[in-house]
Amino acid sequence: MQLKMDRDDLTGFMSDHFPQVAGDYSIEKVTKDVLSVRLHIFDRNLRPGGTVSGPSMFSLADVAIYLSVQSRIGPVALAVTTNCSIDFLSRPRADRDLIGEARLLKLGRSLAVGDVLVFSEGDGAPVARAALTYSIPPGTRRDPPAPVGQISL
């Protein structure tokens, strides 16, 4: 499946539709297989004990899958999260940005399912793993869903 939005398109989309948080994120990479997003860590993302808060890691995972869906279906601002499960694996570094690497596992007419691995910048082991499902508004998909097995991990 071809990408319908590239890095510049997605960055503009975030600025237009989510200006309140657009500056918190940078899109690092967009390919047909993976989308990487950076969460810039500020004091507001930290919790006592010198670590990044769980809600900050959740927001990174959510934004990463949201943008992955947008990159495939085009600008559909009303796609929404319907489910999220997140495993916090280890303590993220408070002095480094977080990177979310998102992969879509299924992209259908009404639902998208994906996984996100969250890393402290420069570290090889993930600090969190999230599985998310997104609802795609009716009538916004103009192309048929990709056949099973065509969206690679």
Side-chain angles (χ1 to χ4, degrees):
M1 173 180 268
Q2 292 284 43
L3 293 176
K4 295 200 175 175
M5 296 178 78
D6 64 16
R7 182 175 175 250
D8 291 339
D9 295 331
L10 292 167
T11 299
F13 179 83
M14 284 290 288
S15 294
D16 291 345
H17 294 279
F18 302 99
Q20 68 276 23
V21 297
D24 294 349
Y25 302 94
S26 297
I27 301 163
E28 302 283 304
K29 175 173 69 172
V30 181
T31 70
K32 67 180 183 73
D33 296 320
V34 68
L35 182 136
S36 296
V37 179
R38 173 184 301 268
L39 171 63
H40 303 282
I41 299 300
F42 301 102
D43 286 343
R44 67 179 175 264
N45 300 108
L46 303 180
R47 57 168 275 220
T51 188
V52 179
S53 72
S56 294
M57 288 186 275
F58 169 83
S59 71
L60 173 59
D62 195 38
V63 165
I65 289 295
Y66 181 76
L67 291 173
S68 292
V69 171
Q70 300 301 315
S71 75
R72 299 289 186 85
I73 68 172
V76 180
L78 295 178
V80 295
T81 309
T82 60
N83 189 49
C84 178
S85 173
I86 189 165
D87 298 308
F88 299 106
L89 305 173
S90 64
R91 184 177 175 172
R93 298 206 30 169
D95 62 342
R96 294 188 186 171
D97 290 344
L98 293 181
I99 308 295
E101 293 183 357
R103 288 171 176 76
L104 288 179
L105 306 175
K106 176 187 184 335
L107 181 60
R109 290 188 193 280
S110 61
L111 291 177
V113 177
D115 279 336
V116 180
L117 292 176
V118 177
F119 299 87
S120 287
E121 181 181 26
D123 289 348
V127 298
R129 178 202 147 285
L132 292 97
T133 303
Y134 256 80
S135 175
I136 300 167
T140 58
R141 289 293 312 268
R142 289 184 274 297
D143 54 285
V148 174
Q150 204 157 356
I151 298 175
S152 63
L153 301 177

